[in-house]
Each structure stands twice: as structure tokens, then as C-alpha cells.
Amino acid sequence: MSLLPSVGQPVSRLEGQLKVTGRAQYAADYSIPGLVYGYVINSTVTKGKIQRIDTTKAMSLPGVIQIFSHVKRPSLAWFNLQYADMDAPPGSPFRPLQDNKIIYNGQPIGLVVAETFELARYAATLVEVEYEQEAFDTDLNANLSNARTPKIGMATMLKPPPPRPKGNFEKAFSESLVQVSAEYYHGTEHHNPLELFATTTVYEGAGKVTIYDKTQGTVNSQLYVANIFGLKYKNVRVIAPYVGGAFGSGLRPQYQLFLSVMAALELKRPVLVTLDRSQMFTFGHRPPTIQRTRFGADANGRVTAMNHAAIGETSRFEDYTEVVVNWSHMLYPADNTLMQYKLVELDVFSPLDMRAPGGVTGMHAIESTMDELSYQLKIDPLQLRLINYAEKDESLNRPYSSKELRACYVQGAARFGWEHRNPEPRSMRRGNKLVGYGMATGIWEANTLPARAEAIMTTDGKLHVNSAVTDIGTGTLTVMAQIAADELGLPIQDVTFSYGDSKKPFAPVQGGSFTVSTVGSAIKTAGKALRKKLLRIAGKVGDGVFKKLELDDVLFENGRIALKNDPLTSISFVDIVAANDGNPVKVIKFSVPNVLKLKKYSRAAHSAAFVEVEVDEELGVINVTRAVTAVAAGTIINPKTARSQILGGMVWGISKALREETISDHHFGKYMNQNLGEYHIPVHADIHDLDVIFVEEKDDIVNALGAKGVGEIGLIGMPPAISNAICHATGKRINHLPIHFDNLL
Amino acid sequence: MNNFSYIKAASVQAAIDQSTAGFNVKYIAGGTNLIDLMKYNLTRADTLVDVNRVQENKDIIEMENGGLRLSAFATNAQTAYNPLIERRYPLLSRAILAGASAQIRNMATNGGNLLQRTRCYYFYDANVPCNKREPGSGCAAIAGYNRIMAILGTSESCIAVFPSDMCIALAALEAIVNVEGPEGSRSIPFADFHRLPGDTPHLDNNIGQDEIITSIDLPAKGFSKNYSYLKLRDRNSYAFALVSVASGLDLDGDVIREARIALGGVAHKPWRVEEAEDFLRGKPANQSNFRQAAEMILKGATGYRHNEFKIELAKRAIVRNCMMALNPATQLPGAQPSV
Ligand SMILES: Cc1cc2nc3c(=O)[nH]c(=O)nc-3n(C[C@H](O)[C@H](O)[C@H](O)COP(=O)(O)OP(=O)(O)OC[C@H]3O[C@@H](n4cnc5c(N)ncnc54)[C@H](O)[C@@H]3O)c2cc1C
Ligand code: SF4
């Protein structure tokens, strides 16, 4: 009997036990003999120059080893390019301790290294810094007149600029029967993964370091460190098997990495630098963004004209961009479109991708506008989406590799009970509360990048797979093991997957929901190559029944290769490896997506979110009492981990719509709620009934797995579905997020 | 390092002796506020005297006047779940359970709750002006982001809010705070315990440097039939009140014999207005009377740029909460609004 394929099974996380019993070691958990501790000193001003930095008092404390700053640091790489990581937007990357210039509030300006963390933290308070302050600006709303077109760079490859205008928007809009226009806003948000950013650098002797880093890309950190400190790539090893959440914050090397490595190289000792929670607010964030939409429709509800314009925040040193305005035309086939995207430079750190960057921002505006249009047209919001259903991607005029969004709408609506919605706002009640139903569409691109993977058949007939990829808590380890198991027809217990190590074969950063697709494809490719190699070796064994056979002629099952037409004739993997002079059989394969083929299609995961809210109108209290998200994302490799991803995204959607915000005080140019007590992410009491549906979707084009990735799609439809539900409940449309109860009073 | 000595006091007297003998001594109970303040470098202590081990009885004592005496050293959780409190002072139980999280309530003590410091963002950020932290430096909140700040009893020096939930119920119940110090013991009526900011915003309350809170007396009247605590906040748990209301009603049929209404989240101390409570005496318990009382309670309220909404919200919350008090069964756990 052949084994059931592992792909498609709800396999529990293989590392789950280690995590819940505290045995999984994170970047700050390595107790290395002689370890010393670094604490970062951050600028208390927003812009200006350091005039004097006096470390005398701090240095005189016994146990303080060194205090680094711009006046006390090794010489560093000179060119911008050497600071550019794989995810760097166009511009000049931030260089810690480069000179005396202060360019944002909270900028790291020094590192105290001491025998204990507590001592380093205390010593940091004794370092005296005098600044010459300069005028600054951190307020997006006050600087909209400075909006400009973003620079183009490498990052643009994954983040295309807005599509070209089509038809004549202004004319079509002014002539359309029904017109809706609105402005949308959300402020700054910080990633706030549970695990604090930390790096432990072990000095291994001249020019050689081993680094335990919190990152979403071991190779990214490796290249960054090697380039800046002039080390050989092979002498820099970055290890990150467990990552306690990152949500994009680990896509770029953060300053604790730089500081830890610098200190270790200088002191020739192992150095751990951990940021504290407030320091987690001193690097990338989701940028505040203002959007305007103008949609026009005809009497039948067909959207004829769409204008979506967004202005996002960036720093003065990099042009961080997001794909905010490209989505509406992928979803709705209007003949006249105008999409605009601009940036305003402010005295802040560069923004950084945060879960569904741009997508969740843009779709909030688009799907709220569609909802408003449905009221104007007196057409059910779901019906309006179906009327405007795009069979192909009109923005680029190409078909979708697959698109089961219609099934998402239908199955989601059925599970939710959408038909019970009374179209009239304020018409549904439960007790003294208003009840509202809202829905929205979600879309997220399904990308694949090149990656390498190694597959090894060991002497005991087990499969070992290697990749540098991290597992940021999404279940990567588990799904990769599943994919690998199926390649060789082995049970998952016979597979080990080693990952989170830059020494292993190359993988790009883990983000954008492209990891399963990218690394999974590489593993598939390596798995196939290993099958071929095993078969070739089998051909040399014994009476040569396997000689000259192709993969199609045989089966890989139960740890053996068997003839397809005579399954009783078989040879075990153990015997094959034995025949390989007893050496494990290894292959390393590079898998590169077939760009020529992929270019002909738009590839995206879709979703439909349905939300019920209860609103206590008198007091403004809002609760999301029920939500259903139906997702079309191709093959679901592991329904359990995938469901967790969607649930996490839905919770984040509730958070984004109703809870989290970074409070800025533009007078001081800084963030005021830099802790988890005041930066409100949802608590259990905020989360009620959440339900996930995966609709069937077959995709032979997107990649060999037919899988699209589910990391972001669960979030995207939720914020607009929630604000639409609030509008249905109360008749009030609130277009800035988060919506607080004071907005409803 | 920020070194300090740590001493476990075996009795209240021993704790006071330690405090008077040393320099810059602080009592530590649950540590849920003090330790944070020390980590933020806002509070320094050369000596911490741990009062958790004092031998005095941590149980609740029934007093001759029919009231109860709560130990200052008992935890918030022990107090909220004590059957006597649940039965006779359910308002207090509800208010405590509306605060913080289960873990924090397990550590936090009753004494510490009274002395917790404000949650004003600017107070916690040593790099911006704050009169409470550094007298004379100015108040950054007045022109800053002041959504969570006070609307009543503010001054030009400070618009901070006292963040406790428990104390709002204690104010409504007219508790008495018993303290002991080098000069002996004294009892402070709850209304006189906390201060308004005036031009001394660095003083939160009227307890002396070496004084220790030993117990809190609850008068006999517990309003256990008609009570309600309502907390409005930015998430359903683990967030401080933007507005909270404690209501206790003593009814004769549908006529109010006595009403107690205390507001939280709106001032530097729990806010009560006797005039409003007097107004309700002898009146039918209905929306319109509660609304009139609410207008009296909010008289003189001034909003700042981001917290204007609190004025109307507080009024509505008072009305709703008093209506919920008519039928406590309508309250949801965690002090969520329901009726
Ligand atoms: C994240 C978070 C959320 C919270 N949310 C809420 C909330 O929603 N509602 C709410 O009401 N509270 C909330 N709290 C506050 C919490 O209730 C207080 O921190 C707690 O009650 C303080 O008690 P403690 O015993 O830990 O005091 P400690 O931190 O030990 O002490 C606080 C102060 O009181 C002094 N002190 C302690 N005991 C005595 C005594 N017997 N005599 C004299 N002085 C004494 C100490 O010297 C110190 O100055 C929250 C706290 C945190 C950390
Ligand atoms: S309101 Fe009070 S605590 Fe807040 S900044 Fe002003 S003075 Fe300080």
C-alpha cells in the first residue's frame, strides 16, 4: 500500500513541543562562555547633530567594557551599496554610528558593552550627550504638498509602480450615473512581534563570526555583515532556526545586528545585543498613508471609472514604496482608470514592509468605496462584486493563472449567512445593540523567487533536506518536510529539514507569502533530482532491472524504488545508498521560476471576508462578533498551519480596524506609546467567532506545487469588511483606522 | 548598576522603622507598578522594603459597625474573589476585575493599587517636559496627544488621570484608608486620599513619605442589590479606562433612597459630586433623572484637543451604568456594557 501524500494533511508543527516547553532557542537564548551584553543608546532628539558625547562616568563603572559611538568605532565600509541589504529600497541605507548627524528620533547613537545586561542598561543612563537641534517634520498630513513620485530601484521589481492610465478617467467619472469619492487614512503602525530583536555574535577568531540573529533572511544578514565589515562570506555564518514572529520587521537587518557584530569583532568576545520593547519602535514601521478614491458606475452597477491616489510616508534617506493603488483594476474591469502613488519625505526612519504591505492599505480604500457604491446603487455589496467580477487582470491585460474568487464569495456568504442581511443600514438589532454585516474582497500577489535546496538520502534510507530559509513561526519547517516527504514517497517521520542557517543552500528573505512557493519549489526540484540520482545508482546494482529506466517507469514508496508494472520488483533506498560506496546520495538544485511562462499570467491569492459587528451606539462600543474568511490560494499544503495563518491575519485585521496605532507627537517628532500596555493589540476578549474556508483552486502555472502562500491574504479583506459592517450597523462611514468608539459618538 | 538594598519587613512597625532609618526608601508590594517605574528610570530607591510578608492578618475582618476591613497587603485577586466581598460589595469586586489582567491582579495589592501612578505617556518619557515627573518643566500633554487625559479638576500644570478601577468603587463606597507612620496611625476618608493636581502635580495623594497603608475599611452599606461598574476602554481587557463609572443605588421601590456615583478616567482622582447624589435622593430611578445628575457631575468639564468626547461619553456612561444598577443581572463580566 502506498502512503497517503503528506501534502494536504493537517500535520501539527514539528517544532511545536520545543516551543511550548521553552526548549526552542531564540537569538538571545544562547549561553556562550564569556558572553557580554550590549545596550543601545538612542537619540532623544529628532534631528540635529551630536555636539558632545561624554562616556567618562559610564566607563568608570567596574564591569563596563566599552562604549561605542560615532567617535569610537572601527572604520567601516564606505559605499552605500555595501549597506544595502536584499530588501533595501532606492536611496542610502541607514548607517549606524556613521557620523554625528541625527536623522530621526530614537536613532541608535551608541552601544554600551558590559558584563551584564543590567549594568549596560544602567551605564547607558550615565552617558551624557549634547545635541544641536534642528527643525524637523514628521507630520504627513501637514506635508502633503511635498508629495513626489518615488525613485525607481531594485525593490521596484517586486513592487511595481501604478499601472498606466486607461481611457479617460475624468470624463468617464463626470459622466457616470453614480459617483463615490472619499478619503482614507491610517497612521503609523509597528510590527511588535513578541520576540524582541536580538543578535548574539560569537567571535570565532580572525575575521570569522557566527551570528544568532532575529531575522527573516539568514543570507540577507550574512551578506550585509560581510559587506560592511569586509569579511569573507564563508566566514560569516548566520543562524536563525526560531523566530518569534517578525511580520516583515526582520526583512531587513536591524541595527542590533550591526552593533553586535561590530562589538564582537572589536572586543574579540561574544556579544549579545537585545533591544527592549521601546526600542522596537526605533526602526521600520507601516507608513501612515492618505488615500483618495473616486469610483463611478453605470445604472447596472458596472464600475466605469476608477481613480485611486495614495500618498505614503518615507524617510529622507530611502524611498520605501508599497503597492497601494494597483489592486482595484486587477479586481474590477473598469474602462477608465487613473492610479497615482506618491511619497512624502519626513524625519523618520524608513518604513518597512508589515504584513500585507500596501495591499491591506489599498484594499481598505477600494473595498470601502465599493461598499459605498453599493448603497448608492441600491445593489447588494456582494452582488456588486459579482457584477464587476474580473475574469482576467485588466490592469495588465492578461489572464489569471487561476482565480476562484467567485467560489470564495459564494461559499463565504453561505457559511456566514449573508442572505439574512437586511440591506437597510441601522435595520438590524440584537437587544439594545445595532448589528451590521459587512464584506470585502482580498487579493495578494503570488510570487516565486529563485532558491536553492539540497536533498540527501542517508545510509539508513532517510531523507535530509537543507535550506537557509527561516521559519518565522508560520510552519515552514513542517510544510517543507511534507513537501520533501512526498517527493521520495516517505512518511514525514523519515524526513529531517535543516534550515535557518546561512551555510545551507541559498533562500531569499521570508516574506511576501512567497516562501512555500519559492523554497517549496526548490525542494521539489531537489527531490526530483534525488529520485533521478537514486534511480541511476539503482540501475548499477545487481541484475540491472533498473538500468536505463526513467522516473515514469518506477514508483518511490515505502523507502524503495519499485517497478511500476511490477511493484514486487523493488530496491530499498538503504541498498541504493550502500551501493553508492556507502556514501549518502546528495543533490543540490537551484530552482528558478520560469519567468517567460509566468509573465503571461497574473498570479494572485484571493479572499472574501464577511464580518458581523455589534455596536452599542450610545457608548460607541464595537465588537466583531463573527467573521468568515474564504480563501482561494491554490493547493493548501497543510490545512492546519494555513488555517492558523488565516486566523492570525483575521485577528490582525480586527486589530488594524479597531485597535492598534502608534501615537505620534509631531511637536516632539516621536512616538508616544512605545510599549505593549499602550500599543493596543487585541486581547482574547476582543476575538470571538472566526471561521476559515479554503476553496478548491487548481493552478498548474503558479509553481509546481500549485500553492500560492497564505501569509497575508487572511488580513487584507478584514479591515474594510469591519468598517463596512460598522457602516451597515450605524449608517456612519468612518474612513480612518483604527476606528475608536469616540468616532461613533 | 542601579543597585538597591532589598529588605523583607516582618511587621508594619519594622517596615516603618526601615523607612525612617534609611535614605530614599520605598515600600514594595506587588511591584507591578513600582518595578516598571524603576526600569523606566522614573523612580529610584536606595532601599526597597518588601511589605508582602508583614505578619498582620491578610484576611478580611468583619467590623463591629457592620463594615469590613480589607488588608492593604492582600492581592487584588484575593479581594475580588473573596466571598464576603462578592456578596456584600459586588461593586468593588466588579471594579477590581475590570482592571489590568489576571496575572497582574494576582500580584497587585490593595495598598499598591491606591498608589499607582498615572499612565500619561509624557510622564513615562523622560525626554519630554512633565510637571509631575519634574516639577516646573512644563506639561507636554496639554498641547500634545491628550485623548486619554482628564476633563475635570485639571490645572495648568497637569491634566493627568488617576488610572485605578478599584479606587473608583472605593470612592463610591466611601471607604476609609488606614495608614500608619512614625507619628502613629490615622484614617483618611477616601475623598481626601487622592489629590487634584493644582500647582503640585508631583503629589498624587496625601500619604506621607514613611507612612504605610495598612488597611481599607468598607462602611456597612455595600449597595449589593443595586450596583454596577462600567468601564469604557480601547480594548475589552487589559487597557485603562477612558471613562469608567461606579454606581451604587439604595432603592425604595423605584425611588432612590441614596445614590453613589463615582467617575474614573476623567480626573486626577476618583470624581464624585455630592450635589448630584443629593439631587437623586427621593427621585424615581429613571433615565431622565440620571441624565440630570450626569449633567451636574460633568459641570465644569473642559475637553482638550483629543478628549472632548469624554464629556458626552461620561454622561451617557453614567446614565447607562445607573440603569444597569437597577438590574445588576444585566451586567456582563469584565464590566462590559450590556443593557
Ligand atoms: C499593564 C498594566 C495594566 C494595568 N491595568 C490596570 C487597570 O486597567 N486598572 C487598574 O486599576 N490598574 C491597572 N494596573 C495597575 C495595577 O493595578 C497596579 O500596578 C497595582 O495595583 C499596584 O499594586 P502593587 O501591589 O503591585 O504596587 P507596587 O508596584 O508594589 O507599589 C506601587 C506603589 O505603592 C507603594 N506601596 C505599595 N504598597 C504600599 C503600602 N501598603 N503602603 C504604602 N505604600 C505602598 C509603593 O511604594 C509604590 O510606590 C495595570 C498595571 C499594569 C502593569
Ligand atoms: S499631564 Fe501631568 S503627568 Fe502628563 S505631562 Fe502633563 S504634567 Fe506630566
Side-chain angles (χ1 to χ4, degrees):
Chain A
M1 260 302 289
S2 72
L3 209 66
L4 233 77
S6 189
V7 166
Q9 301 300 316
V11 181
S12 294
R13 274 161 213 265
L14 302 178
E15 82 291 16
Q17 258 206 359
L18 288 181
K19 283 183 172 168
V20 297
T21 54
R23 280 176 295 159
Q25 280 186 298
Y26 293 82
D29 293 343
Y30 293 84
S31 49
I32 287 151
L35 187 66
V36 292
Y37 300 80
Y39 189 82
V40 181
I41 307 170
N42 300 85
S43 165
T44 58
V45 306
T46 303
K47 197 170 182 176
K49 290 189 183 69
I50 301 173
Q51 285 188 317
R52 195 178 66 92
I53 179 159
D54 186 348
T55 59
T56 329
K57 257 192 237 161
M59 277 303 290
S60 70
L61 291 177
V64 172
I65 297 161
Q66 188 54 280
I67 300 176
F68 295 95
S69 68
H70 69 287
V71 292
K72 175 94 190 113
R73 62 160 172 83
S75 63
L76 297 163
W78 190 243
F79 297 104
N80 266 333
L81 205 58
Q82 291 165 294
Y83 284 81
D85 61 280
M86 291 175 179
D87 193 35
S92 327
F94 173 64
R95 302 171 168 202
L97 311 192
Q98 185 69 19
D99 52 28
N100 66 347
K101 285 203 196 70
I102 301 298
I103 54 176
Y104 74 98
N105 204 304
Q107 176 181 326
I109 57 171
L111 180 77
V112 181
V113 183
E115 297 290 351
T116 67
F117 172 78
E118 289 76 12
L119 181 60
R121 181 174 61 182
Y122 174 59
T125 66
L126 301 183
V127 174
E128 292 165 15
V129 187
E130 273 172 34
Y131 304 93
E132 178 189 311
Q133 294 204 48
E134 288 166 26
F136 55 81
D137 232 321
T138 58
D139 189 355
L140 177 67
N141 284 295
N143 287 279
L144 295 177
S145 57
N146 299 326
R148 58 162 177 78
T149 307
K151 295 186 200 104
I152 303 285
M154 279 290 282
T156 325
M157 283 190 357
L158 280 175
K159 292 179 170 181
R164 274 197 278 277
K166 189 170 140 189
N168 183 339
F169 167 77
E170 295 296 347
K171 182 161 178 289
F173 181 68
S174 65
E175 288 169 1
S176 56
L177 184 77
V178 176
Q179 302 166 352
V180 171
S181 60
E183 190 171 300
Y184 300 85
Y185 177 76
H186 70 77
T188 306
E189 293 164 20
H190 280 85
H191 303 73
N192 275 313
L194 194 54
E195 184 199 11
L196 299 164
F197 270 77
T199 304
T200 306
T201 305
V202 183
Y203 179 75
E204 308 271 15
K208 200 168 171 198
V209 284
T210 301
I211 300 167
Y212 301 95
D213 189 27
K214 180 189 172 90
T215 178
Q216 289 174 253
T218 54
V219 180
N220 197 24
S221 292
Q222 177 198 27
L223 297 181
Y224 177 82
V225 165
N227 286 343
I228 292 177
F229 295 100
L231 305 177
K232 295 206 175 82
Y233 292 135
K234 69 172 172 46
N235 286 344
V236 179
R237 181 172 178 198
V238 177
I239 300 175
Y242 303 109
V243 181
F247 313 117
S249 59
L251 287 174
R252 302 190 66 188
Q254 300 304 350
Y255 63 74
Q256 93 290 342
L257 170 65
F258 172 98
L259 294 171
S260 162
V261 174
M262 177 194 69
L265 287 171
E266 283 298 292
L267 301 173
K268 303 193 181 343
R269 292 183 70 167
V271 178
L272 163 61
V273 178
T274 305
L275 301 189
D276 64 23
R277 184 56 65 181
S278 66
Q279 289 168 332
M280 297 288 286
F281 289 75
T282 58
F283 49 90
H285 52 270
R286 195 193 295 281
T289 306
I290 289 186
Q291 306 176 67
R292 288 199 190 88
T293 55
R294 287 183 292 162
F295 285 15
D298 66 18
N300 300 323
R302 276 192 29 248
V303 178
T304 52
M306 292 192 297
N307 170 215
H308 186 183
I311 300 178
E313 170 217 67
T314 194
S315 65
R316 301 243 187 246
F317 49 96
E318 285 171 323
D319 272 15
Y320 169 83
T321 60
E322 292 184 336
V323 177
V324 178
V325 299
N326 304 20
W327 307 102
S328 60
H329 206 203
M330 291 178 75
L331 283 168
Y332 306 119
D335 289 335
N336 304 279
T337 61
L338 179 61
M339 307 300 171
Q340 298 149 306
Y341 179 71
K342 289 190 170 163
L343 293 178
V344 171
E345 282 177 27
L346 293 168
D347 297 299
V348 295
F349 195 77
S350 298
L352 178 58
D353 287 344
M354 185 199 272
R355 206 168 190 180
V360 69
T361 302
M363 289 304 285
H364 167 226
I366 295 162
E367 289 299 283
S368 301
T369 310
M370 287 298 281
D371 197 62
E372 187 57 33
L373 207 52
S374 79
Y375 285 100
Q376 305 282 327
L377 287 158
K378 299 203 185 327
I379 295 177
D380 176 85
L382 176 56
Q383 189 57 32
L384 183 65
R385 266 69 170 194
L386 292 170
I387 292 171
N388 288 284
Y389 194 84
E391 298 296 347
K392 63 175 205 231
D393 175 0
E394 295 282 346
S395 72
L396 296 168
N397 194 24
R398 60 189 188 188
Y400 281 102
S401 61
S402 62
K403 178 181 172 182
E404 294 297 342
L405 175 58
R406 191 176 275 115
C408 294
Y409 287 140
V410 171
Q411 292 180 32
R415 177 83 59 91
F416 179 82
W418 184 255
E419 80 269 20
H420 302 305
R421 179 179 186 270
N422 181 331
E424 199 57 41
R426 308 182 58 81
S427 61
M428 294 169 66
R429 282 179 179 272
R430 191 174 294 142
N432 68 333
K433 301 209 182 72
L434 292 165
V435 173
Y437 285 5
M439 59 85 54
T441 313
I443 179 169
W444 187 251
E445 278 202 289
N447 280 314
T448 308
L449 298 179
R452 217 181 250 283
E454 181 177 34
I456 303 169
M457 185 54 69
T458 61
T459 48
D460 54 357
K462 308 235 151 124
L463 176 61
H464 194 107
V465 186
N466 286 318
S467 159
V469 73
T470 48
D471 181 343
I472 50 178
T474 47
T476 309
L477 159 62
T478 311
V479 299
M480 294 308 158
Q482 287 176 267
I483 293 167
D486 286 359
E487 281 305 306
L488 274 295
L490 287 170
I492 192 165
Q493 296 84 332
D494 288 347
V495 180
T496 49
F497 179 52
S498 300
Y499 63 104
D501 183 347
S502 64
K503 242 191 162 155
K504 312 265 175 217
F506 168 85
V509 288
Q510 183 176 24
S513 297
F514 51 62
T515 297
V516 164
S517 158
T518 298
V519 179
S521 296
I523 287 176
K524 246 182 122 57
T525 310
K528 185 171 178 189
L530 182 62
R531 289 204 312 269
K532 272 196 188 149
K533 196 160 174 182
L534 291 172
L535 181 57
R536 217 182 54 232
I537 298 167
K540 296 180 194 155
V541 180
D543 48 10
V545 274
F546 291 96
K547 210 174 187 131
K548 296 244 166 80
L549 292 184
E550 297 295 325
L551 285 181
D552 278 349
D553 304 325
V554 295
L555 300 168
F556 284 75
E557 44 180 52
N558 305 328
R560 315 178 71 86
I561 303 181
L563 292 180
K564 210 178 238 172
N565 52 18
D566 177 16
L568 289 181
T569 304
S570 70
I571 176 168
S572 75
F573 294 164
V574 174
D575 289 342
I576 298 173
V577 178
N580 191 38
D581 297 334
N583 293 323
V585 181
K586 296 186 187 183
V587 295
I588 295 193
K589 276 288 160 189
F590 198 42
S591 107
V592 184
N594 182 346
V595 182
L596 287 179
K597 177 174 138 200
L598 291 176
K599 229 172 56 178
K600 295 188 194 132
Y601 299 90
S602 283
R603 290 149 285 131
H606 290 87
S607 70
F610 296 85
V611 165
E612 177 190 279
V613 296
E614 265 183 20
V615 180
D616 185 323
E617 199 183 25
E618 207 176 35
L619 302 176
V621 177
I622 305 163
N623 271 306
V624 174
T625 39
R626 234 155 39 83
V628 175
T629 296
V631 177
T635 307
I636 300 303
I637 309 280
N638 181 333
K640 189 170 182 182
T641 53
R643 182 168 180 276
S644 294
Q645 282 300 301
I646 302 301
L647 287 175
M650 291 170 76
V651 170
W652 198 310
I654 293 171
S655 185
K656 186 165 169 48
L658 302 175
R659 296 285 179 264
E660 68 182 286
E661 64 177 331
T662 304
I663 292 164
S664 303
D665 184 316
H666 298 302
H667 177 68
F668 297 108
K670 70 189 308 186
Y671 306 127
M672 296 313 303
N673 57 338
Q674 307 187 7
N675 60 70
L676 289 181
E678 303 296 341
Y679 185 94
H680 292 139
I681 55 170
V683 293
H684 288 296
D686 293 321
I687 304 303
H688 303 284
D689 185 6
L690 303 182
D691 201 356
V692 179
I693 300 171
F694 290 111
V695 309
E696 219 173 287
E697 185 175 73
K698 204 168 149 37
D699 195 322
D700 300 327
I701 291 152
V702 66
N703 53 47
L705 293 155
K708 288 176 175 172
V710 292
E712 347 247 335
I713 189 68
L715 161 57
I716 296 172
M718 284 294 284
I722 292 168
S723 72
N724 293 342
I726 291 171
C727 181
H728 181 235
T730 64
K732 290 186 187 138
R733 189 165 289 287
I734 295 162
N735 287 341
H736 58 85
L737 302 181
I739 300 172
H740 283 315
F741 57 78
D742 25 315
N743 304 126
L744 291 181
L745 297 178
Chain B
M1 215 181 314
N2 237 334
N3 286 324
F4 55 83
S5 326
Y6 171 81
I7 299 166
K8 280 184 193 166
S11 68
V12 168
Q13 195 51 51
I16 295 168
D17 291 346
Q18 290 291 351
S19 180
T20 41
F23 174 73
N24 195 13
V25 181
K26 288 236 148 47
Y27 300 123
I28 180 165
T32 59
N33 193 215
L34 185 62
I35 299 288
D36 276 358
L37 292 165
M38 289 175 75
K39 283 192 195 161
Y40 280 116
N41 245 323
L42 298 177
T43 297
R44 291 199 186 172
D46 291 311
T47 304
L48 290 186
V49 176
D50 187 334
V51 296
N52 289 295
R53 305 285 187 290
V54 297
Q55 297 299 307
E56 276 80 0
N57 202 335
K58 284 195 192 175
D59 287 344
I60 286 172
I61 302 169
E62 300 209 44
M63 295 191 298
E64 280 176 8
N65 66 4
L68 289 186
R69 173 163 290 180
L70 308 177
S71 166
F73 313 106
T75 66
N76 282 178
Q78 285 164 347
T79 308
Y81 293 121
N82 182 292
L84 273 178
I85 299 293
E86 283 179 328
R87 199 172 72 239
R88 290 173 51 189
Y89 303 91
L91 176 60
L92 178 61
S93 184
R94 282 299 164 108
I96 292 174
L97 296 180
S101 64
Q103 292 91 334
I104 291 172
R105 294 192 300 264
N106 283 339
M107 288 300 290
T109 63
N110 296 335
N113 196 305
L114 266 57
L115 298 179
Q116 63 176 297
R117 307 219 64 189
T118 184
R119 294 284 157 174
C120 171
Y121 312 128
Y122 300 89
F123 174 70
Y124 285 88
D125 185 336
N127 301 305
V128 300
C130 168
N131 288 325
K132 187 181 278 299
R133 178 169 24 80
E134 209 180 313
S137 62
C139 170
I142 291 176
Y145 187 77
N146 42 39
R147 180 166 173 270
I148 65 172
M149 303 297 167
I151 50 171
L152 286 161
T154 55
S155 75
E156 278 168 24
S157 312
C158 179
I159 60 170
V161 156
F162 175 58
S164 168
D165 290 296
M166 178 185 190
C167 290
I168 309 309
L170 290 176
L173 293 168
E174 296 191 339
I176 290 163
V177 185
N178 300 313
V179 305
E180 246 173 87
E183 260 92 74
S185 56
R186 60 189 181 120
S187 297
I188 310 170
F190 212 81
D192 301 332
F193 188 81
H194 295 100
R195 297 167 63 98
L196 287 179
D199 51 12
T200 53
H202 58 291
L203 301 175
D204 292 349
N205 49 54
N206 291 315
I207 191 171
Q209 164 73 37
D210 299 319
E211 281 183 320
I212 190 164
I213 304 175
T214 53
S215 60
I216 299 157
D217 290 348
L218 301 174
K221 199 156 189 174
F223 301 92
S224 60
K225 273 233 215 42
N226 294 102
Y227 66 90
S228 180
Y229 187 75
L230 172 61
K231 181 175 182 183
L232 298 167
R233 48 186 152 179
D234 279 333
R235 60 182 167 190
N236 289 343
S237 165
Y238 200 46
F240 291 93
L242 283 156
V243 167
S244 70
V245 193
S247 303
L249 300 175
D250 180 8
L251 297 176
D252 180 5
D254 69 345
V255 173
I256 301 168
R257 233 184 263 136
E258 189 177 0
R260 302 272 181 81
I261 301 172
L263 274 186
V266 294
H268 203 259
K269 61 186 286 189
W271 196 259
R272 265 183 77 195
V273 173
E274 266 177 49
E275 186 200 345
E277 295 175 8
D278 289 344
F279 162 81
L280 287 173
R281 192 168 292 132
K283 300 249 170 27
N286 61 31
Q287 298 246 7
S288 87
N289 284 328
F290 292 136
R291 178 72 198 195
Q292 284 192 59
E295 296 291 344
M296 292 176 190
I297 294 170
L298 272 294
K299 203 165 77 197
T302 36
Y304 295 81
R305 184 159 164 224
H306 304 98
N307 72 354
E308 197 86 37
F309 73 94
K310 280 192 178 184
I311 300 175
E312 177 59 22
L313 181 64
K315 292 177 189 171
R316 293 185 189 180
I318 290 169
V319 176
R320 172 69 64 84
N321 196 51
C322 290
M323 293 304 291
M324 289 200 295
L326 299 180
N327 182 8
T330 58
Q331 291 181 53
L332 292 174
Q336 285 273 325
S338 75
V339 189

